[in-house]
Amino acid sequence: FVYISQAGGGLLDAADVFAALSVFTSLRMALIMLPTGLAEWARIQVSFARVERYLELPEHAPLPPLPPLPPATPDAVGTPPLEEAEAATPRRDLARASPSDGAPSW
């Protein structure tokens, strides 16, 4: 405000003050975001350099194919065939179970 008043001949009126405040208010967010934008730009440059360095690495030779698996037989692993398998879940009487039995306490 001192510079504006000196450039205007030493007089500082309300119109000049409100105009200057309006300009500073409109520039406030841009000036706040400037350091953040510069930091993000530096991070982007580092990331691009890393990606470029990775993409410039030499190609590796492909891995040899895996050998074929032997045919599965019921006794190959010691498990029963699927026709003889059973699946069951333990059943508890939840009305009589107590929390000390490990049952939920609903």
Side-chain angles (χ1 to χ4, degrees):
F1 293 116
V2 172
Y3 176 76
I4 293 173
S5 68
Q6 293 301 321
L11 297 174
L12 187 63
D13 59 348
D16 292 335
V17 171
F18 286 120
L21 287 175
S22 174
V23 169
F24 287 134
T25 302
S26 63
L27 290 176
R28 187 183 78 172
M29 196 59 173
L31 293 174
I32 289 172
M33 293 303 292
L34 184 65
T36 305
L38 293 174
E40 289 300 320
W41 180 254
R43 289 186 191 116
I44 288 171
Q45 286 181 326
V46 169
S47 296
F48 280 161
R50 289 177 180 169
V51 169
E52 183 180 14
R53 195 171 53 227
Y54 172 75
L55 292 175
E56 290 176 351
L57 289 174
E59 296 279 334
H60 290 289
L63 296 174
L66 295 173
L69 294 174
T73 58
D75 57 344
V77 186
T79 57
L82 190 56
E83 294 84 25
E84 298 175 16
E86 288 184 20
T89 58
R91 186 175 175 143
R92 291 189 182 142
D93 186 6
L94 293 178
R96 293 184 314 133
S98 67
S100 62
D101 294 339
S105 59
W106 294 310

